Amino acid sequence: MNLTLYQLADDYLAAAEQLADLDMPPEVVNDTLESMIGDIQVKATNVAMVIRNFEAQAEAIREAEKQMASRRKSIEYRAEQIKEYLLYNMQRTGINEISCPYFAIKRKLNPGKVVIHGAVPEEFLRHPEPPPPEVDKKAIAEYIKAGNSPDWAELKRDERIEIK
């Protein structure tokens, strides 16, 4: 029977509780619980191996994403360069439109864009609202670590699993 880590932990806790209620020598209780701990350690090791496998897969995917993004940017840049090459040569030859069964190529004028050459008068400047204040959690943590106990914050420490 293949038990889960959760079931093994439940069995261990139940056995520890039952053995505590029985009038048995401490050596027998310890030997019984140690044999159960071995099964938990084996199962926990296997679970840790699964975690490592998922972490390795995630890292491989992250690296592939970086490589694909780099390749995509390179391809986009190359397409833009060739597009400029095509426009330049259509401008040189005075050709405005080319049609084929797959697509049509047309020269189009872009909307006008403003080019600034000097100081802009005040009436044309926007003044965005400043961002709202943000909580400085590092400063609060230092404040609490310094021995202060505010009723509006606490320093909470959680546990995590570390596999090295």
Side-chain angles (χ1 to χ4, degrees):
M1 183 172 180
N2 196 6
L3 297 176
T4 66
L5 180 58
Y6 189 82
Q7 291 168 326
L8 289 171
D10 276 351
D11 291 350
Y12 176 85
L13 294 173
E17 191 175 308
Q18 286 175 352
L19 291 171
D21 291 343
L22 299 176
D23 196 21
M24 299 180 82
E27 301 84 30
V28 174
V29 171
N30 286 339
D31 288 346
T32 304
L33 293 178
E34 278 186 29
S35 69
M36 295 179 81
I37 285 282
D39 292 340
I40 292 173
Q41 289 174 337
V42 168
K43 185 61 82 168
T45 302
N46 291 336
V47 169
M49 287 180 188
V50 170
I51 292 167
R52 280 259 172 103
N53 188 33
F54 282 141
E55 290 172 344
Q57 286 177 3
E59 182 57 34
I61 291 170
R62 190 176 0 269
E63 189 58 37
E65 288 171 341
K66 287 180 191 174
Q67 291 173 356
M68 289 176 69
S70 174
R71 185 167 182 240
R72 175 189 49 81
K73 289 176 186 175
S74 176
I75 291 169
E76 288 171 346
Y77 176 77
R78 185 70 178 134
E80 195 57 40
Q81 294 297 311
I82 294 171
K83 196 184 291 184
E84 289 175 13
Y85 168 76
L86 176 60
L87 174 62
Y88 173 73
N89 283 292
M90 286 179 73
Q91 289 170 335
R92 284 181 50 206
T93 57
I95 298 172
N96 292 322
E97 187 174 337
I98 300 172
S99 293
C100 74
Y102 305 108
F103 45 79
I105 306 167
K106 295 182 183 180
R107 286 175 44 195
K108 294 276 190 169
L109 284 176
N110 289 329
K113 67 179 176 181
V114 175
V115 179
I116 307 296
H117 296 291
V120 177
E122 180 67 30
E123 66 189 85
F124 296 105
L125 297 179
R126 281 186 284 141
H127 298 281
E129 297 230 0
E134 292 182 8
V135 174
D136 186 351
K137 290 187 177 182
K138 285 186 179 182
I140 295 170
E142 293 301 320
Y143 179 75
I144 294 171
K145 287 177 186 176
N148 299 299
S149 302
D151 59 352
W152 44 268
E154 69 176 304
L155 191 59
K156 183 177 178 185
R157 296 191 71 157
D158 294 329
E159 284 188 286
R160 71 180 189 284
I161 292 295
E162 181 176 273
I163 304 169
K164 289 189 173 190

